[in-house]
Amino acid sequence: MKRYLTTPIYYANGAPHLGHAYTTFVADCYKRFYGLKGDDVLLISGTDEHGQKIERAAAAAGADLEHFVNERSAEFQRLWHSLNIGIDKFDRTTQAHHKAVATAFWQKLADRGDVYLDKYEGLYCVECEQYFTSGDACPVHRRPLERFAEPSWFFRLSAWRDRLIDYIEAHPRFILPEARRNEVLGVLRADALNDLSISRTSTRWGVPVPGDSRHVMYVWIDALVTYLSALGDLESERLRQYWPGAIHFIGKDILIFHGVYWPAFLMSAGLPLPESIIVNGWLTVEGRKISKSDPGTVVDPVALTQVIGNDGLRYCLLKTVTLGHDVDFSRRHVVRLLNADLANNLGNLVSRFIRLVERRCPQGFDFEIDELPGDGAGLLSRIRESASEIERAMAAGDPARAARCFIGACGAVNTWIQQAEPWALTSEERLRGALWVIYQALSDVTILGWCFVPETMGRVRDGLCLGAPAWDDIGVYNTRVRVRDVGPVFPRIDEVDLAGGSH
Ligand code: MSP
């Protein structure tokens, strides 16, 4: 099955921070999960480089615009690479092929009769690149709104309202979690769905509107089209194959753009809608959203990984940010979580097991399943249940719940070992039976944890002399038990080492 996953297209106006890393880790977690299931998965990311916000940021930095966006975009690409996030294609809105696709897309809306020229006057937040109908300050950026008046091309959004409502009602998995879906339905059902201003004359930094080069396209059309242009032309075979299975991973601040404007644009263009939009909450610092426009909140992901590793960061973010909720980032919590879950629960378990096998059966052994010791079958079936629970959680767009199931399965193996006390068994046959159960349980656990701590699980599989994992291997048991020493699986973190920042 073909799967097409997208991260948001990040604004190229500053350095990437922990909030950006979070959304991208979620997308990569799904890429690994579907990859384990044997799907043909494509993960794309990119940078949103046009519009007034970027133009102002470059001016404030005293930099040439093109040079400025090249640098910012490269920072995002370097970060994904350094965090071991497998982006298959990174697209930039300033690339020629993207501009060509954006132009063709606009043309489709115009051909459909959904685009008309009028004028706009209203309150604008340049940070959001969005008009507001009331208020003095932007609710997200807490900055004063600016009054803009300009001629503008409009998209007949109002005409799509009923079809959007019907579609979202008929497709419960289109927007996840359900609370976000209800939020979008709430916006749509409230009777004021105005047509949308989709061009700007206040900046030249954008894709020219076809047939009216005084205007550039509104950055949100431009950016959303990246999801299509990353696959090729609108008519391309690749787009036809991958697009219908698309899943967008986004933060809650860009829900309306994805849940209302984007499906309306796609319907108007005669293209299928993505399969799902999975919406996460925010990472906050002392209750404030981590944001470039609030420098006191910014946390550098690379500095963190130098102490806790890629897997440490990935795991903390995936396990803590529960679906739909904001979560406060705190270094103390990170240390506690990693030491409890990865160093103790998982790491000690694996090291202890490998040492025990090396001591008692140095060459490994082959085991013919006859009768399992203790409640060995019970443990293995408990782990298979965790696998089903992880599948359900991932399908519900809730990787945090899935991560909890994975670590719960590690805990179950630990409990089983405490009860079975294999180190005290004197009968060779019973000892081998117990070690065999633990070996199979751990093999399954490495598959359960693959999308949350891939480097660590790779190390554990190495220690168990296992090759590449597949989801279908869960519950398929080996007769061979072999181990080798791979050193500490996940080193304990000292709170002092992580005390570098103020949060
Ligand atoms: N350029 C638009 C997206 C266009 S997609 C066609 C944009 N860019 S952004 O750089 O401001 O944000 C990108 C994503 O990062 C959003 O999903 C946003 O929710 C996410 N995050 C930014 N800060 C965040 C946190 N503090 N916490 C979690 N996610 C955060 O919006």
Side-chain angles (χ1 to χ4, degrees), residues 16-57:
H17 57 62
L18 204 58
H20 304 129
Y22 170 62
T23 317
T24 314
F25 273 136
V26 173
D28 188 57
C29 171
Y30 274 85
K31 175 179 171 175
R32 289 172 193 275
F33 178 69
Y34 289 131
L36 274 178
K37 298 201 140 210
D39 291 348
D40 169 8
V41 196
L42 205 57
L43 169 61
I44 69 115
S45 186
T47 35
D48 187 352
E49 304 183 11
H50 285 136
Q52 215 163 4
K53 175 188 180 99
I54 311 291
E55 200 174 17
R56 286 187 185 181

mmCIF file of all heavy atoms in Angstrom, residues 16-57:
data_model
loop_
_atom_site.group_PDB
_atom_site.id
_atom_site.type_symbol
_atom_site.label_atom_id
_atom_site.label_comp_id
_atom_site.label_asym_id
_atom_site.label_seq_id
_atom_site.Cartn_x
_atom_site.Cartn_y
_atom_site.Cartn_z
ATOM 1 N N PRO A 16 15.024 26.556 13.287
ATOM 2 C CA PRO A 16 14.034 25.595 13.772
ATOM 3 C C PRO A 16 14.163 25.377 15.280
ATOM 4 O O PRO A 16 15.269 25.473 15.819
ATOM 5 C CB PRO A 16 14.383 24.301 13.037
ATOM 6 C CG PRO A 16 15.680 24.505 12.367
ATOM 7 C CD PRO A 16 16.000 25.962 12.365
ATOM 8 N N HIS A 17 13.040 25.115 15.940
ATOM 9 C CA HIS A 17 13.084 24.885 17.391
ATOM 10 C C HIS A 17 12.376 23.579 17.740
ATOM 11 O O HIS A 17 11.931 22.835 16.858
ATOM 12 C CB HIS A 17 12.510 26.086 18.152
ATOM 13 C CG HIS A 17 11.099 26.434 17.770
ATOM 14 N ND1 HIS A 17 10.044 25.567 17.948
ATOM 15 C CD2 HIS A 17 10.567 27.553 17.206
ATOM 16 C CE1 HIS A 17 8.929 26.136 17.536
ATOM 17 N NE2 HIS A 17 9.213 27.342 17.060
ATOM 18 N N LEU A 18 12.248 23.351 19.027
ATOM 19 C CA LEU A 18 11.712 22.074 19.502
ATOM 20 C C LEU A 18 10.280 21.801 19.022
ATOM 21 O O LEU A 18 9.925 20.651 18.753
ATOM 22 C CB LEU A 18 11.742 22.087 21.042
ATOM 23 C CG LEU A 18 11.785 20.742 21.728
ATOM 24 C CD1 LEU A 18 12.983 19.942 21.280
ATOM 25 C CD2 LEU A 18 11.801 20.932 23.248
ATOM 26 N N GLY A 19 9.474 22.854 18.900
ATOM 27 C CA GLY A 19 8.090 22.684 18.432
ATOM 28 C C GLY A 19 8.071 22.111 17.022
ATOM 29 O O GLY A 19 7.269 21.226 16.698
ATOM 30 N N HIS A 20 8.960 22.615 16.157
ATOM 31 C CA HIS A 20 9.034 22.086 14.787
ATOM 32 C C HIS A 20 9.503 20.637 14.815
ATOM 33 O O HIS A 20 9.004 19.783 14.078
ATOM 34 C CB HIS A 20 10.021 22.895 13.937
ATOM 35 C CG HIS A 20 9.705 24.356 13.883
ATOM 36 N ND1 HIS A 20 10.637 25.326 14.163
ATOM 37 C CD2 HIS A 20 8.553 25.009 13.598
ATOM 38 C CE1 HIS A 20 10.077 26.519 14.048
ATOM 39 N NE2 HIS A 20 8.818 26.351 13.710
ATOM 40 N N ALA A 21 10.487 20.366 15.676
ATOM 41 C CA ALA A 21 11.030 19.006 15.751
ATOM 42 C C ALA A 21 9.926 18.040 16.160
ATOM 43 O O ALA A 21 9.825 16.931 15.638
ATOM 44 C CB ALA A 21 12.182 18.955 16.747
ATOM 45 N N TYR A 22 9.061 18.485 17.063
ATOM 46 C CA TYR A 22 8.008 17.592 17.550
ATOM 47 C C TYR A 22 7.110 17.107 16.405
ATOM 48 O O TYR A 22 6.928 15.907 16.212
ATOM 49 C CB TYR A 22 7.179 18.284 18.649
ATOM 50 C CG TYR A 22 5.957 17.479 18.975
ATOM 51 C CD1 TYR A 22 6.084 16.196 19.476
ATOM 52 C CD2 TYR A 22 4.681 17.968 18.726
ATOM 53 C CE1 TYR A 22 4.969 15.414 19.738
ATOM 54 C CE2 TYR A 22 3.567 17.203 18.979
ATOM 55 C CZ TYR A 22 3.722 15.921 19.482
ATOM 56 O OH TYR A 22 2.625 15.154 19.720
ATOM 57 N N THR A 23 6.554 18.058 15.637
ATOM 58 C CA THR A 23 5.638 17.660 14.546
ATOM 59 C C THR A 23 6.353 16.731 13.560
ATOM 60 O O THR A 23 5.763 15.787 13.031
ATOM 61 C CB THR A 23 5.129 18.903 13.781
ATOM 62 O OG1 THR A 23 4.789 19.906 14.708
ATOM 63 C CG2 THR A 23 3.919 18.592 12.947
ATOM 64 N N THR A 24 7.636 16.991 13.332
ATOM 65 C CA THR A 24 8.374 16.197 12.345
ATOM 66 C C THR A 24 8.663 14.800 12.892
ATOM 67 O O THR A 24 8.613 13.817 12.151
ATOM 68 C CB THR A 24 9.660 16.952 11.947
ATOM 69 O OG1 THR A 24 9.302 18.306 11.693
ATOM 70 C CG2 THR A 24 10.280 16.382 10.689
ATOM 71 N N PHE A 25 8.939 14.700 14.199
ATOM 72 C CA PHE A 25 9.118 13.376 14.817
ATOM 73 C C PHE A 25 7.828 12.554 14.702
ATOM 74 O O PHE A 25 7.874 11.349 14.486
ATOM 75 C CB PHE A 25 9.483 13.506 16.298
ATOM 76 C CG PHE A 25 10.963 13.647 16.564
ATOM 77 C CD1 PHE A 25 11.429 14.577 17.475
ATOM 78 C CD2 PHE A 25 11.890 12.820 15.932
ATOM 79 C CE1 PHE A 25 12.791 14.693 17.740
ATOM 80 C CE2 PHE A 25 13.253 12.927 16.193
ATOM 81 C CZ PHE A 25 13.700 13.862 17.096
ATOM 82 N N VAL A 26 6.697 13.209 14.900
ATOM 83 C CA VAL A 26 5.427 12.469 14.800
ATOM 84 C C VAL A 26 5.300 11.880 13.390
ATOM 85 O O VAL A 26 4.985 10.701 13.214
ATOM 86 C CB VAL A 26 4.211 13.380 15.116
ATOM 87 C CG1 VAL A 26 2.904 12.654 14.833
ATOM 88 C CG2 VAL A 26 4.240 13.836 16.564
ATOM 89 N N ALA A 27 5.584 12.701 12.390
ATOM 90 C CA ALA A 27 5.468 12.212 11.004
ATOM 91 C C ALA A 27 6.450 11.064 10.760
ATOM 92 O O ALA A 27 6.104 10.047 10.141
ATOM 93 C CB ALA A 27 5.736 13.363 10.030
ATOM 94 N N ASP A 28 7.659 11.202 11.279
ATOM 95 C CA ASP A 28 8.671 10.154 11.068
ATOM 96 C C ASP A 28 8.284 8.871 11.812
ATOM 97 O O ASP A 28 8.552 7.762 11.343
ATOM 98 C CB ASP A 28 10.033 10.657 11.545
ATOM 99 C CG ASP A 28 11.147 9.692 11.170
ATOM 100 O OD1 ASP A 28 11.296 9.398 9.971
ATOM 101 O OD2 ASP A 28 11.846 9.205 12.070
ATOM 102 N N CYS A 29 7.658 9.024 12.963
ATOM 103 C CA CYS A 29 7.186 7.864 13.730
ATOM 104 C C CYS A 29 6.199 7.068 12.876
ATOM 105 O O CYS A 29 6.271 5.840 12.784
ATOM 106 C CB CYS A 29 6.555 8.390 15.014
ATOM 107 S SG CYS A 29 5.687 7.178 15.983
ATOM 108 N N TYR A 30 5.293 7.767 12.206
ATOM 109 C CA TYR A 30 4.333 7.081 11.323
ATOM 110 C C TYR A 30 5.032 6.470 10.117
ATOM 111 O O TYR A 30 4.669 5.387 9.660
ATOM 112 C CB TYR A 30 3.230 8.048 10.865
ATOM 113 C CG TYR A 30 2.104 8.109 11.865
ATOM 114 C CD1 TYR A 30 2.172 8.952 12.963
ATOM 115 C CD2 TYR A 30 0.996 7.287 11.738
ATOM 116 C CE1 TYR A 30 1.156 8.990 13.904
ATOM 117 C CE2 TYR A 30 -0.033 7.310 12.670
ATOM 118 C CZ TYR A 30 0.056 8.159 13.746
ATOM 119 O OH TYR A 30 -0.951 8.176 14.680
ATOM 120 N N LYS A 31 6.036 7.164 9.627
ATOM 121 C CA LYS A 31 6.752 6.599 8.476
ATOM 122 C C LYS A 31 7.354 5.242 8.867
ATOM 123 O O LYS A 31 7.259 4.260 8.127
ATOM 124 C CB LYS A 31 7.858 7.560 8.028
ATOM 125 C CG LYS A 31 8.689 6.942 6.922
ATOM 126 C CD LYS A 31 9.784 7.835 6.414
ATOM 127 C CE LYS A 31 10.643 6.990 5.478
ATOM 128 N NZ LYS A 31 11.681 7.712 4.815
ATOM 129 N N ARG A 32 7.960 5.188 10.030
ATOM 130 C CA ARG A 32 8.581 3.933 10.472
ATOM 131 C C ARG A 32 7.521 2.866 10.748
ATOM 132 O O ARG A 32 7.732 1.692 10.469
ATOM 133 C CB ARG A 32 9.429 4.186 11.720
ATOM 134 C CG ARG A 32 10.678 4.962 11.394
ATOM 135 C CD ARG A 32 11.427 5.385 12.631
ATOM 136 N NE ARG A 32 12.426 6.380 12.283
ATOM 137 C CZ ARG A 32 13.645 6.102 11.850
ATOM 138 N NH1 ARG A 32 14.033 4.869 11.730
ATOM 139 N NH2 ARG A 32 14.479 7.077 11.538
ATOM 140 N N PHE A 33 6.416 3.302 11.321
ATOM 141 C CA PHE A 33 5.343 2.350 11.639
ATOM 142 C C PHE A 33 4.802 1.713 10.349
ATOM 143 O O PHE A 33 4.721 0.494 10.230
ATOM 144 C CB PHE A 33 4.238 3.082 12.407
ATOM 145 C CG PHE A 33 3.059 2.215 12.740
ATOM 146 C CD1 PHE A 33 3.179 1.195 13.677
ATOM 147 C CD2 PHE A 33 1.839 2.413 12.121
ATOM 148 C CE1 PHE A 33 2.091 0.383 13.983
ATOM 149 C CE2 PHE A 33 0.744 1.611 12.423
ATOM 150 C CZ PHE A 33 0.879 0.591 13.359
ATOM 151 N N TYR A 34 4.461 2.554 9.375
ATOM 152 C CA TYR A 34 3.923 1.996 8.124
ATOM 153 C C TYR A 34 5.006 1.208 7.375
ATOM 154 O O TYR A 34 4.709 0.219 6.712
ATOM 155 C CB TYR A 34 3.379 3.111 7.226
ATOM 156 C CG TYR A 34 2.109 3.730 7.757
ATOM 157 C CD1 TYR A 34 1.966 5.111 7.841
ATOM 158 C CD2 TYR A 34 1.041 2.931 8.163
ATOM 159 C CE1 TYR A 34 0.800 5.680 8.327
ATOM 160 C CE2 TYR A 34 -0.119 3.496 8.658
ATOM 161 C CZ TYR A 34 -0.238 4.871 8.735
ATOM 162 O OH TYR A 34 -1.390 5.428 9.226
ATOM 163 N N GLY A 35 6.256 1.669 7.508
ATOM 164 C CA GLY A 35 7.360 0.954 6.864
ATOM 165 C C GLY A 35 7.464 -0.469 7.424
ATOM 166 O O GLY A 35 7.656 -1.437 6.684
ATOM 167 N N LEU A 36 7.321 -0.603 8.743
ATOM 168 C CA LEU A 36 7.356 -1.931 9.379
ATOM 169 C C LEU A 36 6.268 -2.826 8.826
ATOM 170 O O LEU A 36 6.418 -4.032 8.739
ATOM 171 C CB LEU A 36 7.073 -1.795 10.875
ATOM 172 C CG LEU A 36 8.211 -1.497 11.821
ATOM 173 C CD1 LEU A 36 7.663 -1.367 13.237
ATOM 174 C CD2 LEU A 36 9.271 -2.584 11.762
ATOM 175 N N LYS A 37 5.147 -2.203 8.468
ATOM 176 C CA LYS A 37 4.014 -2.986 7.962
ATOM 177 C C LYS A 37 4.170 -3.319 6.490
ATOM 178 O O LYS A 37 3.274 -3.897 5.889
ATOM 179 C CB LYS A 37 2.725 -2.210 8.174
ATOM 180 C CG LYS A 37 2.479 -1.972 9.636
ATOM 181 C CD LYS A 37 1.045 -1.691 9.903
ATOM 182 C CE LYS A 37 0.671 -2.405 11.171
ATOM 183 N NZ LYS A 37 -0.691 -2.818 11.229
ATOM 184 N N GLY A 38 5.275 -2.867 5.919
ATOM 185 C CA GLY A 38 5.544 -3.226 4.523
ATOM 186 C C GLY A 38 4.944 -2.245 3.521
ATOM 187 O O GLY A 38 4.968 -2.495 2.317
ATOM 188 N N ASP A 39 4.411 -1.111 3.998
ATOM 189 C CA ASP A 39 3.850 -0.137 3.057
ATOM 190 C C ASP A 39 4.971 0.602 2.326
ATOM 191 O O ASP A 39 6.091 0.695 2.821
ATOM 192 C CB ASP A 39 2.977 0.896 3.812
ATOM 193 C CG ASP A 39 1.708 0.275 4.360
ATOM 194 O OD1 ASP A 39 1.403 -0.874 3.975
ATOM 195 O OD2 ASP A 39 1.042 0.923 5.184
ATOM 196 N N ASP A 40 4.613 1.142 1.189
ATOM 197 C CA ASP A 40 5.559 1.954 0.410
ATOM 198 C C ASP A 40 5.323 3.410 0.848
ATOM 199 O O ASP A 40 4.337 4.033 0.447
ATOM 200 C CB ASP A 40 5.214 1.726 -1.069
ATOM 201 C CG ASP A 40 5.931 2.693 -1.978
ATOM 202 O OD1 ASP A 40 6.793 3.431 -1.497
ATOM 203 O OD2 ASP A 40 5.602 2.701 -3.178
ATOM 204 N N VAL A 41 6.194 3.926 1.720
ATOM 205 C CA VAL A 41 5.912 5.209 2.381
ATOM 206 C C VAL A 41 6.830 6.318 1.871
ATOM 207 O O VAL A 41 8.037 6.133 1.752
ATOM 208 C CB VAL A 41 6.155 5.114 3.913
ATOM 209 C CG1 VAL A 41 5.497 6.282 4.630
ATOM 210 C CG2 VAL A 41 5.663 3.810 4.478
ATOM 211 N N LEU A 42 6.229 7.458 1.645
ATOM 212 C CA LEU A 42 6.984 8.636 1.225
ATOM 213 C C LEU A 42 6.715 9.744 2.244
ATOM 214 O O LEU A 42 5.548 10.064 2.495
ATOM 215 C CB LEU A 42 6.438 9.041 -0.142
ATOM 216 C CG LEU A 42 7.321 9.823 -1.088
ATOM 217 C CD1 LEU A 42 8.598 9.060 -1.362
ATOM 218 C CD2 LEU A 42 6.555 10.034 -2.391
ATOM 219 N N LEU A 43 7.779 10.281 2.835
ATOM 220 C CA LEU A 43 7.613 11.378 3.807
ATOM 221 C C LEU A 43 8.241 12.639 3.228
ATOM 222 O O LEU A 43 9.420 12.636 2.879
ATOM 223 C CB LEU A 43 8.290 11.013 5.136
ATOM 224 C CG LEU A 43 8.439 12.133 6.163
ATOM 225 C CD1 LEU A 43 7.086 12.690 6.594
ATOM 226 C CD2 LEU A 43 9.199 11.637 7.404
ATOM 227 N N ILE A 44 7.451 13.697 3.149
ATOM 228 C CA ILE A 44 8.019 14.943 2.626
ATOM 229 C C ILE A 44 7.934 16.057 3.669
ATOM 230 O O ILE A 44 7.090 16.057 4.566
ATOM 231 C CB ILE A 44 7.353 15.386 1.302
ATOM 232 C CG1 ILE A 44 5.914 15.837 1.534
ATOM 233 C CG2 ILE A 44 7.418 14.293 0.239
ATOM 234 C CD1 ILE A 44 5.704 17.278 1.254
ATOM 235 N N SER A 45 8.869 16.986 3.528
ATOM 236 C CA SER A 45 8.858 18.182 4.362
ATOM 237 C C SER A 45 9.288 19.330 3.460
ATOM 238 O O SER A 45 9.568 19.119 2.274
ATOM 239 C CB SER A 45 9.821 18.001 5.535
ATOM 240 O OG SER A 45 9.717 19.083 6.422
ATOM 241 N N GLY A 46 9.371 20.524 4.021
ATOM 242 C CA GLY A 46 9.787 21.626 3.167
ATOM 243 C C GLY A 46 9.757 22.952 3.900
ATOM 244 O O GLY A 46 9.466 23.006 5.099
ATOM 245 N N THR A 47 10.088 23.999 3.157
ATOM 246 C CA THR A 47 10.052 25.337 3.759
ATOM 247 C C THR A 47 9.170 26.281 2.950
ATOM 248 O O THR A 47 9.126 26.240 1.727
ATOM 249 C CB THR A 47 11.474 25.934 3.903
ATOM 250 O OG1 THR A 47 12.278 25.514 2.811
ATOM 251 C CG2 THR A 47 12.116 25.506 5.200
ATOM 252 N N ASP A 48 8.490 27.126 3.727
ATOM 253 C CA ASP A 48 7.515 28.099 3.232
ATOM 254 C C ASP A 48 8.280 29.426 3.190
ATOM 255 O O ASP A 48 8.598 30.001 4.239
ATOM 256 C CB ASP A 48 6.375 28.117 4.276
ATOM 257 C CG ASP A 48 5.183 28.933 3.877
ATOM 258 O OD1 ASP A 48 5.258 29.635 2.862
ATOM 259 O OD2 ASP A 48 4.168 28.870 4.612
ATOM 260 N N GLU A 49 8.599 29.892 1.987
ATOM 261 C CA GLU A 49 9.626 30.936 1.886
ATOM 262 C C GLU A 49 9.130 32.257 1.326
ATOM 263 O O GLU A 49 9.914 33.186 1.168
ATOM 264 C CB GLU A 49 10.791 30.405 1.029
ATOM 265 C CG GLU A 49 11.362 29.116 1.592
ATOM 266 C CD GLU A 49 12.569 28.596 0.826
ATOM 267 O OE1 GLU A 49 13.098 29.334 -0.019
ATOM 268 O OE2 GLU A 49 12.968 27.448 1.077
ATOM 269 N N HIS A 50 7.852 32.339 0.958
ATOM 270 C CA HIS A 50 7.356 33.587 0.383
ATOM 271 C C HIS A 50 6.594 34.405 1.422
ATOM 272 O O HIS A 50 6.337 33.940 2.525
ATOM 273 C CB HIS A 50 6.427 33.281 -0.795
ATOM 274 C CG HIS A 50 7.162 32.839 -2.025
ATOM 275 N ND1 HIS A 50 6.757 31.782 -2.791
ATOM 276 C CD2 HIS A 50 8.287 33.328 -2.614
ATOM 277 C CE1 HIS A 50 7.592 31.626 -3.814
ATOM 278 N NE2 HIS A 50 8.537 32.544 -3.720
ATOM 279 N N GLY A 51 6.209 35.625 1.003
ATOM 280 C CA GLY A 51 5.303 36.427 1.820
ATOM 281 C C GLY A 51 6.029 37.479 2.650
ATOM 282 O O GLY A 51 7.246 37.496 2.789
ATOM 283 N N GLN A 52 5.179 38.329 3.207
ATOM 284 C CA GLN A 52 5.674 39.496 3.906
ATOM 285 C C GLN A 52 6.458 39.163 5.170
ATOM 286 O O GLN A 52 7.423 39.829 5.515
ATOM 287 C CB GLN A 52 4.465 40.336 4.298
ATOM 288 C CG GLN A 52 4.760 41.788 4.233
ATOM 289 C CD GLN A 52 3.462 42.576 4.211
ATOM 290 O OE1 GLN A 52 2.366 42.014 4.327
ATOM 291 N NE2 GLN A 52 3.583 43.862 4.085
ATOM 292 N N LYS A 53 6.003 38.091 5.828
ATOM 293 C CA LYS A 53 6.665 37.681 7.072
ATOM 294 C C LYS A 53 8.142 37.381 6.803
ATOM 295 O O LYS A 53 9.020 37.811 7.550
ATOM 296 C CB LYS A 53 5.923 36.427 7.540
ATOM 297 C CG LYS A 53 6.438 35.715 8.726
ATOM 298 C CD LYS A 53 5.614 34.418 8.809
ATOM 299 C CE LYS A 53 6.001 33.557 9.954
ATOM 300 N NZ LYS A 53 5.081 33.728 11.074
ATOM 301 N N ILE A 54 8.404 36.665 5.725
ATOM 302 C CA ILE A 54 9.777 36.285 5.395
ATOM 303 C C ILE A 54 10.540 37.527 4.915
ATOM 304 O O ILE A 54 11.698 37.752 5.295
ATOM 305 C CB ILE A 54 9.798 35.211 4.268
ATOM 306 C CG1 ILE A 54 8.846 34.074 4.583
ATOM 307 C CG2 ILE A 54 11.220 34.743 3.992
ATOM 308 C CD1 ILE A 54 9.222 33.182 5.722
ATOM 309 N N GLU A 55 9.853 38.339 4.108
ATOM 310 C CA GLU A 55 10.488 39.548 3.581
ATOM 311 C C GLU A 55 10.944 40.446 4.742
ATOM 312 O O GLU A 55 12.067 40.937 4.762
ATOM 313 C CB GLU A 55 9.448 40.281 2.729
ATOM 314 C CG GLU A 55 10.039 41.249 1.750
ATOM 315 C CD GLU A 55 8.942 41.823 0.839
ATOM 316 O OE1 GLU A 55 7.731 41.723 1.178
ATOM 317 O OE2 GLU A 55 9.313 42.371 -0.202
ATOM 318 N N ARG A 56 10.076 40.597 5.734
ATOM 319 C CA ARG A 56 10.425 41.454 6.882
ATOM 320 C C ARG A 56 11.560 40.846 7.701
ATOM 321 O O ARG A 56 12.427 41.560 8.189
ATOM 322 C CB ARG A 56 9.212 41.645 7.796
ATOM 323 C CG ARG A 56 8.196 42.589 7.202
ATOM 324 C CD ARG A 56 7.117 42.873 8.237
ATOM 325 N NE ARG A 56 6.054 43.684 7.654
ATOM 326 C CZ ARG A 56 5.001 44.097 8.336
ATOM 327 N NH1 ARG A 56 4.852 43.782 9.594
ATOM 328 N NH2 ARG A 56 4.091 44.835 7.746
ATOM 329 N N ALA A 57 11.541 39.515 7.852
ATOM 330 C CA ALA A 57 12.595 38.868 8.651
ATOM 331 C C ALA A 57 13.952 39.064 7.979
ATOM 332 O O ALA A 57 14.959 39.337 8.645
ATOM 333 C CB ALA A 57 12.295 37.381 8.816
#
